[in-house]
Amino acid sequence: MRTPELKGGALLPLAESFYTLQGEGYNTGKAAFFIRLGGCDVGCSWCDAKETWNPSLYPPTPVETIIEQAVMYKAKSIVITGGEPLTYPLDILCTTLKNKGMEIFLETSGSHPLSGTYDWICLSPKKKKPPIGDIHKKASELKVIIEEAQDFLWAEENRNLVSDSCFLYMQPEWSKREYITPIIVEYIKNNPEWRISLQTHKYMKIP
Ligand code: SF4
């Protein structure tokens, strides 16, 4: 959605921003400022951010305004998430954050072209709109959401595309966690190159 009114990414549809702890994946437990952009055309049935899908609900916001709060907190880590943040060109946002000395983590499905530069890329591929380009090779972490046993095949297909240094995570789909978590545990016991990722922020009831 590289629309002229976003001025090449100088404006972005900000859904919300907040300071909390990263709840899932490799950086679990780290304090970070989250920037959530509106807009996603992937359409996961179990999405826990459906309110962000329609970008027109979120007015284009200047990058300088978006980062005003980000730099006020002690932690210097930023998580850029969505929605699908790569819907937009993120070079200006990343450059502006880097110039302020911030460490930038991206959460993406990889279904749009990669833009911006990051200290950490968490690739969470979705069957409905698979990753494009060479983002698998650039992923620091592969995080596959598992809602049923056949998702293990999807996880392995993606695992075959990432670099040797990429960390591998399987994460129970939240609404199916009681059913699927024990199955994931058994899978990882037999395939120990994988780790489990739990949505600890939901257990802690923090954003
Ligand atoms: S890619 Fe992410 S934001 Fe988009 S529908 Fe799926 S879970 Fe929701």
Side-chain angles (χ1 to χ4, degrees):
M1 207 161 300
R2 289 155 196 257
T3 52
E5 63 270 25
L6 294 178
K7 296 184 179 165
L11 304 172
L12 292 166
L14 179 66
E16 61 175 345
S17 60
F18 49 92
Y19 185 53
T20 187
L21 306 189
Q22 170 61 287
E24 55 191 61
Y26 181 86
N27 289 304
T28 294
K30 271 193 108 163
F33 187 80
F34 279 63
I35 295 172
R36 187 187 299 287
L37 301 179
C40 184
D41 59 2
V42 179
C44 306
S45 58
W46 39 261
C47 178
D48 56 8
K50 283 183 175 158
E51 70 284 357
T52 67
W53 287 5
N54 181 357
S56 66
L57 296 176
Y58 305 104
T61 306
V63 160
E64 290 293 345
T65 305
I66 292 174
I67 71 160
E68 250 167 36
Q69 279 201 27
V71 299
M72 286 170 36
Y73 295 97
K74 279 196 169 177
K76 295 302 166 205
S77 301
I78 304 287
V79 177
I80 302 176
T81 187
E84 172 44 68
L86 289 181
T87 305
Y88 311 101
L90 298 181
D91 307 272
I92 294 174
L93 176 62
C94 288
T95 303
T96 312
L97 286 167
K98 268 289 149 204
N99 288 342
K100 301 279 186 190
M102 310 304 282
E103 181 182 41
I104 311 173
F105 305 154
L106 175 69
E107 296 274 335
T108 181
S109 66
S111 59
H112 287 260
L114 181 63
S115 57
T117 48
Y118 303 93
D119 298 286
W120 192 266
I121 295 177
C122 173
L123 174 64
S124 186
K126 307 298 187 313
K127 278 185 256 186
K128 278 194 149 187
K129 200 160 192 268
I132 60 169
D134 62 351
I135 194 163
H136 281 95
K137 290 290 175 225
K138 295 184 172 156
S140 319
E141 157 185 17
L142 175 68
K143 184 174 68 190
V144 183
I145 311 305
I146 306 289
E147 60 174 335
E148 53 191 355
Q150 68 185 47
D151 293 333
F152 293 132
L153 186 60
W154 173 243
E156 295 295 351
E157 283 172 18
N158 281 278
R159 174 260 187 97
N160 288 337
L161 300 174
V162 299
S163 69
D164 291 344
S165 60
C166 183
F167 289 87
L168 306 174
Y169 288 92
M170 291 180 171
Q171 181 169 291
E173 196 281 297
W174 180 253
S175 69
K176 308 263 173 60
R177 63 192 183 282
E178 287 186 19
Y179 155 73
I180 200 68
T181 301
I183 299 173
I184 297 174
V185 169
E186 285 310 307
Y187 188 90
I188 295 177
K189 282 159 72 178
N190 289 314
N191 298 274
E193 55 285 1
W194 289 93
R195 302 175 181 187
I196 196 164
S197 166
L198 300 176
Q199 292 184 292
T200 62
H201 54 297
K202 293 186 179 178
Y203 290 100
M204 291 186 281
K205 297 187 171 43
I206 59 173

